[in-house]
Amino acid sequence: MYKLILLVLFLFALSVKSQTDTAVLNKLSPQELLQYYINEKEPEGMYKGPPFIGDSLYNILNPLVIPTQTVNADAVYRDGVKTSEEQIKLGDTINRIDQKLKPKIALGVGRLGFYGNMYQKHFQSPLTARPAFDLNVSQRLTRYLQLNFNIMFGQLGANENTTTRHENFQSEIRAGGLNLLYDFGNFIPDRFKVRPFISLGITGFEFLSKTDLKDKNGNTYYYWSDGSIKDKAENAADAQFAIDLKRDYTYETDVRIRNQKINGKYAERAFAIPVGAGAIMQVTDRVDFKLNFQLFFTNTTFIDGITSQNAIGKLTKDKFTYTSFALQYDLISKNHQKQKLQKDTLNDAFWLAFDKTDSDKDGVPDLQDDCQGTPQGAAVDAKGCPLDEDKDGIPNYRDDELNTALGVPVNDKGVGQTDDYWQAWVSQYLNDSTGTDKTTEIVGNVFDLANKKTKLSTEKDAYTVELIRYAGAIPTDELSFLLSIGDIQSTTLQDGTTVVYTSGDYKKVSTAMKRRDEFRSEGNKGAGVSRIKGKNIQKISDEELEALLKKEKEDELKLANNPALKDSLNANNNNTNQNNNSNTEEVIEKFGKDEIVYRVQLGAFKNKISTKIFNTSAGVLELKTGEEIFKYVTKGYKTIDLAAAVRADLVIQGYSDAFVTAYKGGKRILLNQTKATVDKKYKEDLNEEKMFSSVDKKLVLFKIQLGPLKKAFAEKAMDEKVKDLADKDKQTTVTGSIRYTSGNFNKFDAAEKYRKELEAKGFADGFIIATFKNEIISIQEAMELLK
């Protein structure tokens, strides 16, 4: 048996080794992963253009096509390039929340081996075991537990021929029971195709045992010391007349009748505790291959027919093993729907033109031009930058004094600010009686302004109470607990995966420690004080807390002994609309332990989206649930009126399906258990893992952007090109570039059809963009909002 266990462990180790590279990549942060793919050598035959990602001739990165922390973006599809099947799945059959009842059926075949009072080692090799079949129906309870219902039919038998004992039996086994299977799903990610398991259960079974004592002619077997089988005993008086017999292996004698004088007429039924181990390998979305080994501990000694009179040593309870393999089929799993792959609209002709484009007409192609946008006619160097012969920081085309001495400060027109210059400036100022021509100039080289350093922020450290941090999904049983904390906040750290959940934002460490102690007294023993550093949350040790608290008390004592300083601080607090006592006592605004917390539910999606989608001042909290769903809710409110007002405002803004939920004591409760007025016909669904979108899908639009962003000098030519388009729009971006678009569609397929029509009209470099409430979002976010 130990050899079989070692084989299973060896196979599992090979599976883990084969998937090591994927595991390493999954540990990289989004920034590290992006750099990894940038540095990765491109295969031959895959070159489709210059190594830049963007939609303008000025190498402005387009956020719609690069991986971000908000959307798991798919790579751009190109002809001839195969896309991983994982990228076009809408969800796997294990985690889809719309399939709560997902039974699987398995049919297996194996061998039953006896493990009891026969044989010197009480163990029968699986090679000499008897055949058996099993039927199994399983239902997943959690990510790592399955409940299995099974029946089994087979034969159990053994033959022992030693110098001291000759025994045999064969038993018909009919069994049925249930067991729990643990497959390490809380440790092993779903992407692994092979995973081990262990199981424990209870089984009831019936055994009909018989033994082979006579041949077909009714002659009883007598085993002689020379190993032969005769029809007479070796010590019988007429033993010389004994004839040889051969066993016919027909089990004709009922074991219960044979041993009735010793054991009585016992029931041929018993119970067993099966303990198992094995591995499951996913073959397809619906089919799994299952390798299983079980040891059944029974509560009977009657299976093999060995009694206290013919037992060697102590009579023990019978046991048997079942070694099997099975094919498991998912009965009602939904087939994966495949998204239509969109072709890359940037063809070879576009990239060839891109390579040669010279937008500012300075004779240097854009790909080699370090100074884009040089005025037409300006002299430039080999890198496309305007010449500055006197090295004063003002290019020649703007320099009114081309021979300024080296090191002399100049004004914004390149004129040297010498003593004569300033004398003329003062004279002009003194002779100006009206001041109408007075101007203000920047003294010094204007190009040095960008190098001036600003003062560091003098704000003190802020403190918060850290409740817990996760590097992945939040367990389902802890989701409602976090949402029942009214002032809960979430912060994603710089690694892009770890999320820290905190409560409060305090200027004084003593206030944070007081709030921490309240959480600990309510049962959250892991609560601690952390320091807020930008987007980073740093834990503070107990020793550092004591030092900070000591310093804070010393500062307060100095303040109390210095009335003048205290009055000055109070005056400053009044000027900034702060409480006069805020320097000595910080007010904690919190929710009571048994107080109801109201929140507005905004959406729950399979893929992560940007919280900026929900354009609300209510504050948005992001949580990743145990079913790999990203959930978005507003901050907590103390009254239903406040939450309802926020919900009404969201509906007006276009989030028509937003709704209010209530939490109390670490659990979500029904609204009719609060002070809210609820329609009696309304049935509230308390499922926290149900996917939904509150946005009005009519506000999600697809448009065709007519090529890269244009600079101001190209505006006139582009206006002439699009003048005949009926549905067109022109917008100026924050960088001063101009975006031309055409069309408004609620479906991607309709937008793609229109793009092809525009391509036929000469807009070959047009591509699809997505907007929500007239703000550009990624295609992936748009598709997620439309689900």
Side-chain angles (χ1 to χ4, degrees), residues 643-667:
V646 172
R647 189 257 176 190
D649 181 62
L650 287 168
V651 171
I652 294 174
Q653 293 185 48
Y655 307 93
S656 56
D657 289 336
F659 60 93
V660 179
T661 54
Y663 300 86
K664 181 180 180 182
K667 297 180 180 180

Side-chain angles (χ1 to χ4, degrees), residues 34 39 68 90 99 143 192 221 237 308 477 570 595 690 699 702 716:
L34 177 59
N39 297 335
T68 69
L90 291 177
Q99 300 181 51
R143 290 179 60 79
F192 283 79
Y221 300 130
S308 57
D477 55 350
N570 284 339
E595 195 170 355
K690 184 177 181 180
L699 299 177
F702 296 99
K716 185 176 180 180

Side-chain angles (χ1 to χ4, degrees), residues 38 42 47-54 59 61 351 354-355 367:
I38 290 176
E42 192 171 24
Y47 181 74
K48 289 289 182 177
F52 299 101
I53 302 174
N59 301 332
L61 290 181
W351 289 116
F354 187 95
D355 290 341
L367 293 180

Side-chain angles (χ1 to χ4, degrees), residues 571-740:
N572 181 63
N573 289 333
N574 284 331
N575 291 335
T576 56
N577 294 323
Q578 295 181 357
N579 189 294
N580 288 337
N581 297 324
S582 64
N583 58 327
T584 58
E585 185 67 27
E586 188 173 6
V587 178
I588 303 177
E589 184 178 355
K590 62 179 183 177
F591 289 73
K593 179 180 179 180
D594 297 324
E595 195 170 355
I596 297 176
V597 178
Y598 298 93
R599 297 184 185 274
V600 182
Q601 303 280 338
L602 300 173
F605 306 94
K606 184 66 178 177
N607 295 310
K608 186 175 182 180
I609 65 174
S610 172
T611 55
K612 295 180 181 179
I613 292 291
F614 308 102
N615 185 20
T616 173
S617 60
V620 179
L621 181 65
E622 178 187 279
L623 306 100
K624 185 178 181 182
T625 71
E627 292 290 339
E628 301 294 327
I629 295 172
F630 293 90
K631 188 178 184 68
Y632 300 88
V633 300
T634 66
K635 70 178 183 180
Y637 297 94
K638 290 190 175 184
T639 65
I640 184 63
D641 293 335
L642 290 174
V646 172
R647 189 257 176 190
D649 181 62
L650 287 168
V651 171
I652 294 174
Q653 293 185 48
Y655 307 93
S656 56
D657 289 336
F659 60 93
V660 179
T661 54
Y663 300 86
K664 181 180 180 182
K667 297 180 180 180
R668 180 176 168 185
I669 62 174
L670 295 170
L671 283 176
N672 58 20
Q673 297 177 1
T674 69
K675 295 182 180 180
T677 302
V678 182
D679 190 338
K680 294 182 179 180
K681 296 181 181 179
Y682 174 67
K683 294 183 179 180
E684 186 174 359
D685 187 356
L686 296 183
N687 183 4
E688 292 282 11
E689 298 176 352
K690 184 177 181 180
M691 289 191 293
F692 78 97
S693 173
S694 66
V695 303
D696 185 351
K697 293 179 174 55
K698 294 180 180 178
L699 299 177
V700 180
L701 296 175
F702 296 99
K703 302 181 179 184
I704 310 303
Q705 180 168 320
L706 304 176
L709 298 176
K710 302 296 186 293
K711 290 295 183 180
F713 65 84
E715 181 179 7
K716 185 176 180 180
M718 192 64 185
D719 287 342
E720 179 66 22
K721 185 177 181 179
V722 302
K723 67 179 182 179
D724 295 330
L725 291 181
D727 185 7
K728 58 181 178 293
D729 188 26
K730 182 170 71 173
Q731 294 178 332
T732 302
T733 67
V734 294
T735 62
S737 300
I738 303 172
R739 176 182 287 108
Y740 288 84

Side-chain angles (χ1 to χ4, degrees), residues 233-273:
E234 188 173 4
N235 57 358
D238 55 349
Q240 66 273 22
F241 301 109
I243 60 175
D244 291 330
L245 298 179
K246 289 186 179 180
R247 279 194 57 192
D248 57 6
Y249 292 93
T250 300
Y251 298 86
E252 76 289 329
T253 305
D254 191 302
V255 169
R256 181 171 62 173
I257 296 176
R258 177 194 181 194
N259 298 330
Q260 187 169 0
K261 293 182 179 180
I262 303 173
N263 297 325
K265 192 174 182 180
Y266 53 83
E268 293 179 307
R269 295 180 298 276
F271 289 96
I273 302 295

Side-chain angles (χ1 to χ4, degrees), residues 67-132:
T68 69
Q69 294 186 30
T70 60
V71 176
N72 296 323
D74 290 343
V76 176
Y77 169 72
R78 301 182 186 278
D79 285 329
V81 182
K82 294 184 179 180
T83 303
S84 171
E85 191 170 336
E86 283 293 322
Q87 292 180 309
I88 58 176
K89 290 182 179 178
L90 291 177
D92 60 57
T93 58
I94 294 179
N95 295 326
R96 290 282 292 263
I97 63 170
D98 56 347
Q99 300 181 51
K100 288 300 182 184
L101 182 61
K102 301 176 293 185
K104 294 185 178 182
I105 187 170
L107 182 63
V109 61
R111 302 182 74 87
L112 285 172
F114 185 68
Y115 183 19
N117 293 294
M118 285 192 182
Y119 303 114
Q120 183 178 0
K121 295 182 179 179
H122 307 291
F123 177 74
Q124 181 182 19
S125 170
L127 298 177
T128 61
R130 309 299 171 90

